[in-house]
Amino acid sequence: MARPTSTARRELGGELRRLRGERRAVDVATALGWSESKLSRIETAHTGITEADLDRLLTLYGVRAEERGRLRDLAHRGRVRAWWTPYRSSMPDPYDEYLALEADATLISQWEAQVMPGLLQTDEYARAVIESGADIDDVDVIQRRLDVRMGRGERFFRKDPEPRLDVVLDQGVLMREVGGRQVLVRQLQRLLEATAQPGVEVLILPFEAGAHAGLTESFLVLEFGEGTRNPVVHSEGLTGGHFRVKPEEIDVYQEAFDDLRERALSKEESRTVIAESRDRLAR
């Protein structure tokens, strides 16, 4: 089974297929001196495209020079070797695709009811989460997935411009002793430190909030730079991640996140609850 390609390459392929319109692939390929299979591989994101080939293709399609910048940027990003490429053999396909989306995101709005957000996990907490997965028992695979998870956090917060991570976290997560009590104590300290990071907001949804819009699943909404691509929703299941891209579905999840945020404690109240949970467990 072929591995997923980067989202930039997928998006470029879709744009080029749209621009081709009613033209037959064989006619376009012939006009450029390409094989039809080359054009097909580009449109289906199985291969990248050089800047020179892209310019020739866009000229054939009559795309104006001032409209080519975004497509050139997509082509460039599609040629870049992703940092997680060496780990791909140890990751499920949906996770590989999620990493590409996360790498491009400028804002992540995350509701989590079970575990700490992956970008804010300590290595020992993350190991405990990974080891609990039903799909792996190989110690080398576990270590490689752990390396990827730790690499995500390091790279996400170094992006320029600085991205935002807005989290609403169920209060129960502060009490669930993933990895044991002392592992959770250190994880809560990491979470508390994260609340002071620029671009990070962590709000706690208290038990008193009662029924709410996020009862059925944890999820996150990824948003991207203006004029690049539409938001994407990601949720995790036992058999892997699920993506939603339809505007009407995105609206439902964004409204659900807004509802959770309104019900959550304030920033300062959330910090207090996190610190109290840490101190109680550390006794």
Side-chain angles (χ1 to χ4, degrees), residues 111 212-214 219 250-263:
W111 155 243
H212 54 77
F219 63 87
I250 303 299
D251 288 344
V252 169
Y253 281 90
Q254 288 182 322
E255 288 174 8
F257 187 79
D258 290 342
D259 175 71
L260 291 161
R261 199 178 207 166
E262 289 179 7
R263 295 171 182 267

mmCIF file of all heavy atoms in Angstrom, residues 111 212-214 219 250-263:
data_model
loop_
_atom_site.group_PDB
_atom_site.id
_atom_site.type_symbol
_atom_site.label_atom_id
_atom_site.label_comp_id
_atom_site.label_asym_id
_atom_site.label_seq_id
_atom_site.Cartn_x
_atom_site.Cartn_y
_atom_site.Cartn_z
ATOM 1 N N TRP A 111 -9.817 19.853 21.632
ATOM 2 C CA TRP A 111 -10.602 19.385 22.777
ATOM 3 C C TRP A 111 -10.141 17.972 23.102
ATOM 4 O O TRP A 111 -10.114 17.104 22.237
ATOM 5 C CB TRP A 111 -12.092 19.384 22.459
ATOM 6 C CG TRP A 111 -12.906 18.411 23.280
ATOM 7 C CD1 TRP A 111 -13.620 17.341 22.819
ATOM 8 C CD2 TRP A 111 -13.098 18.419 24.710
ATOM 9 N NE1 TRP A 111 -14.234 16.671 23.850
ATOM 10 C CE2 TRP A 111 -13.930 17.324 25.040
ATOM 11 C CE3 TRP A 111 -12.631 19.237 25.739
ATOM 12 C CZ2 TRP A 111 -14.317 17.035 26.337
ATOM 13 C CZ3 TRP A 111 -13.012 18.959 27.043
ATOM 14 C CH2 TRP A 111 -13.847 17.872 27.330
ATOM 15 N N HIS A 212 -22.064 18.547 27.542
ATOM 16 C CA HIS A 212 -21.494 19.559 26.653
ATOM 17 C C HIS A 212 -21.348 18.996 25.251
ATOM 18 O O HIS A 212 -21.617 17.808 25.005
ATOM 19 C CB HIS A 212 -20.130 20.026 27.184
ATOM 20 C CG HIS A 212 -19.172 18.902 27.439
ATOM 21 N ND1 HIS A 212 -18.497 18.256 26.435
ATOM 22 C CD2 HIS A 212 -18.796 18.302 28.602
ATOM 23 C CE1 HIS A 212 -17.724 17.305 26.954
ATOM 24 N NE2 HIS A 212 -17.883 17.311 28.259
ATOM 25 N N ALA A 213 -20.909 19.848 24.327
ATOM 26 C CA ALA A 213 -20.868 19.479 22.907
ATOM 27 C C ALA A 213 -19.785 18.472 22.558
ATOM 28 O O ALA A 213 -19.806 17.903 21.468
ATOM 29 C CB ALA A 213 -20.678 20.740 22.059
ATOM 30 N N GLY A 214 -18.836 18.232 23.472
ATOM 31 C CA GLY A 214 -17.735 17.324 23.159
ATOM 32 C C GLY A 214 -17.836 15.973 23.825
ATOM 33 O O GLY A 214 -16.825 15.281 23.973
ATOM 34 N N PHE A 219 -11.282 15.875 19.654
ATOM 35 C CA PHE A 219 -11.009 16.299 18.286
ATOM 36 C C PHE A 219 -10.121 17.532 18.305
ATOM 37 O O PHE A 219 -9.922 18.160 19.348
ATOM 38 C CB PHE A 219 -12.311 16.621 17.538
ATOM 39 C CG PHE A 219 -13.084 17.766 18.132
ATOM 40 C CD1 PHE A 219 -12.824 19.076 17.755
ATOM 41 C CD2 PHE A 219 -14.073 17.545 19.077
ATOM 42 C CE1 PHE A 219 -13.528 20.147 18.304
ATOM 43 C CE2 PHE A 219 -14.790 18.605 19.630
ATOM 44 C CZ PHE A 219 -14.513 19.898 19.248
ATOM 45 N N ILE A 250 -16.827 21.115 9.314
ATOM 46 C CA ILE A 250 -15.898 21.992 10.038
ATOM 47 C C ILE A 250 -16.668 22.938 10.941
ATOM 48 O O ILE A 250 -16.296 23.166 12.101
ATOM 49 C CB ILE A 250 -15.022 22.801 9.052
ATOM 50 C CG1 ILE A 250 -14.254 21.877 8.101
ATOM 51 C CG2 ILE A 250 -14.073 23.701 9.821
ATOM 52 C CD1 ILE A 250 -13.314 20.924 8.767
ATOM 53 N N ASP A 251 -17.763 23.490 10.431
ATOM 54 C CA ASP A 251 -18.578 24.426 11.216
ATOM 55 C C ASP A 251 -19.094 23.770 12.491
ATOM 56 O O ASP A 251 -19.102 24.394 13.563
ATOM 57 C CB ASP A 251 -19.762 24.929 10.385
ATOM 58 C CG ASP A 251 -19.335 25.889 9.281
ATOM 59 O OD1 ASP A 251 -18.195 26.401 9.352
ATOM 60 O OD2 ASP A 251 -20.137 26.120 8.358
ATOM 61 N N VAL A 252 -19.521 22.515 12.410
ATOM 62 C CA VAL A 252 -20.044 21.809 13.586
ATOM 63 C C VAL A 252 -18.962 21.690 14.662
ATOM 64 O O VAL A 252 -19.217 21.957 15.850
ATOM 65 C CB VAL A 252 -20.559 20.405 13.194
ATOM 66 C CG1 VAL A 252 -20.861 19.571 14.446
ATOM 67 C CG2 VAL A 252 -21.809 20.517 12.339
ATOM 68 N N TYR A 253 -17.761 21.337 14.247
ATOM 69 C CA TYR A 253 -16.681 21.146 15.218
ATOM 70 C C TYR A 253 -16.191 22.483 15.779
ATOM 71 O O TYR A 253 -15.847 22.570 16.966
ATOM 72 C CB TYR A 253 -15.531 20.360 14.589
ATOM 73 C CG TYR A 253 -15.813 18.871 14.532
ATOM 74 C CD1 TYR A 253 -16.434 18.301 13.429
ATOM 75 C CD2 TYR A 253 -15.473 18.042 15.595
ATOM 76 C CE1 TYR A 253 -16.713 16.940 13.384
ATOM 77 C CE2 TYR A 253 -15.739 16.684 15.561
ATOM 78 C CZ TYR A 253 -16.362 16.140 14.454
ATOM 79 O OH TYR A 253 -16.640 14.799 14.422
ATOM 80 N N GLN A 254 -16.144 23.498 14.954
ATOM 81 C CA GLN A 254 -15.731 24.794 15.463
ATOM 82 C C GLN A 254 -16.746 25.347 16.464
ATOM 83 O O GLN A 254 -16.369 25.945 17.484
ATOM 84 C CB GLN A 254 -15.505 25.770 14.306
ATOM 85 C CG GLN A 254 -14.242 25.444 13.505
ATOM 86 C CD GLN A 254 -13.971 26.413 12.384
ATOM 87 O OE1 GLN A 254 -14.888 26.879 11.719
ATOM 88 N NE2 GLN A 254 -12.706 26.727 12.162
ATOM 89 N N GLU A 255 -18.021 25.131 16.177
ATOM 90 C CA GLU A 255 -19.059 25.565 17.124
ATOM 91 C C GLU A 255 -18.973 24.766 18.419
ATOM 92 O O GLU A 255 -19.168 25.313 19.512
ATOM 93 C CB GLU A 255 -20.444 25.402 16.487
ATOM 94 C CG GLU A 255 -20.721 26.425 15.388
ATOM 95 C CD GLU A 255 -22.034 26.155 14.668
ATOM 96 O OE1 GLU A 255 -22.785 25.263 15.128
ATOM 97 O OE2 GLU A 255 -22.298 26.836 13.658
ATOM 98 N N ALA A 256 -18.663 23.467 18.306
ATOM 99 C CA ALA A 256 -18.506 22.637 19.501
ATOM 100 C C ALA A 256 -17.327 23.126 20.343
ATOM 101 O O ALA A 256 -17.426 23.206 21.579
ATOM 102 C CB ALA A 256 -18.293 21.177 19.107
ATOM 103 N N PHE A 257 -16.229 23.480 19.690
ATOM 104 C CA PHE A 257 -15.075 23.977 20.433
ATOM 105 C C PHE A 257 -15.406 25.300 21.119
ATOM 106 O O PHE A 257 -15.011 25.529 22.277
ATOM 107 C CB PHE A 257 -13.867 24.151 19.513
ATOM 108 C CG PHE A 257 -12.605 24.510 20.263
ATOM 109 C CD1 PHE A 257 -11.873 23.543 20.927
ATOM 110 C CD2 PHE A 257 -12.167 25.828 20.323
ATOM 111 C CE1 PHE A 257 -10.730 23.867 21.642
ATOM 112 C CE2 PHE A 257 -11.028 26.167 21.028
ATOM 113 C CZ PHE A 257 -10.307 25.180 21.691
ATOM 114 N N ASP A 258 -16.122 26.160 20.438
ATOM 115 C CA ASP A 258 -16.521 27.436 21.044
ATOM 116 C C ASP A 258 -17.393 27.198 22.279
ATOM 117 O O ASP A 258 -17.257 27.891 23.296
ATOM 118 C CB ASP A 258 -17.282 28.289 20.021
ATOM 119 C CG ASP A 258 -16.383 28.812 18.911
ATOM 120 O OD1 ASP A 258 -15.152 28.817 19.105
ATOM 121 O OD2 ASP A 258 -16.918 29.202 17.854
ATOM 122 N N ASP A 259 -18.284 26.200 22.194
ATOM 123 C CA ASP A 259 -19.139 25.870 23.336
ATOM 124 C C ASP A 259 -18.297 25.380 24.518
ATOM 125 O O ASP A 259 -18.513 25.786 25.665
ATOM 126 C CB ASP A 259 -20.146 24.797 22.927
ATOM 127 C CG ASP A 259 -20.988 24.307 24.094
ATOM 128 O OD1 ASP A 259 -21.848 25.078 24.560
ATOM 129 O OD2 ASP A 259 -20.780 23.168 24.554
ATOM 130 N N LEU A 260 -17.327 24.523 24.238
ATOM 131 C CA LEU A 260 -16.447 24.001 25.290
ATOM 132 C C LEU A 260 -15.630 25.122 25.930
ATOM 133 O O LEU A 260 -15.455 25.164 27.156
ATOM 134 C CB LEU A 260 -15.514 22.941 24.697
ATOM 135 C CG LEU A 260 -16.195 21.629 24.276
ATOM 136 C CD1 LEU A 260 -15.315 20.867 23.298
ATOM 137 C CD2 LEU A 260 -16.494 20.781 25.500
ATOM 138 N N ARG A 261 -15.170 26.021 25.093
ATOM 139 C CA ARG A 261 -14.357 27.131 25.603
ATOM 140 C C ARG A 261 -15.175 28.030 26.530
ATOM 141 O O ARG A 261 -14.676 28.494 27.563
ATOM 142 C CB ARG A 261 -13.830 27.937 24.415
ATOM 143 C CG ARG A 261 -12.644 28.824 24.722
ATOM 144 C CD ARG A 261 -12.220 29.498 23.449
ATOM 145 N NE ARG A 261 -10.823 29.840 23.439
ATOM 146 C CZ ARG A 261 -10.159 30.181 22.362
ATOM 147 N NH1 ARG A 261 -10.781 30.198 21.199
ATOM 148 N NH2 ARG A 261 -8.893 30.504 22.426
ATOM 149 N N GLU A 262 -16.418 28.261 26.168
ATOM 150 C CA GLU A 262 -17.280 29.106 26.995
ATOM 151 C C GLU A 262 -17.566 28.461 28.353
ATOM 152 O O GLU A 262 -17.703 29.155 29.367
ATOM 153 C CB GLU A 262 -18.597 29.388 26.266
ATOM 154 C CG GLU A 262 -18.447 30.337 25.089
ATOM 155 C CD GLU A 262 -19.767 30.575 24.376
ATOM 156 O OE1 GLU A 262 -20.802 30.105 24.898
ATOM 157 O OE2 GLU A 262 -19.750 31.206 23.304
ATOM 158 N N ARG A 263 -17.655 27.129 28.387
ATOM 159 C CA ARG A 263 -17.959 26.416 29.620
ATOM 160 C C ARG A 263 -16.722 26.215 30.494
ATOM 161 O O ARG A 263 -16.842 25.878 31.677
ATOM 162 C CB ARG A 263 -18.564 25.045 29.300
ATOM 163 C CG ARG A 263 -19.917 25.107 28.609
ATOM 164 C CD ARG A 263 -20.329 23.722 28.128
ATOM 165 N NE ARG A 263 -21.595 23.757 27.420
ATOM 166 C CZ ARG A 263 -22.779 23.556 27.998
ATOM 167 N NH1 ARG A 263 -22.851 23.329 29.299
ATOM 168 N NH2 ARG A 263 -23.887 23.593 27.282
#
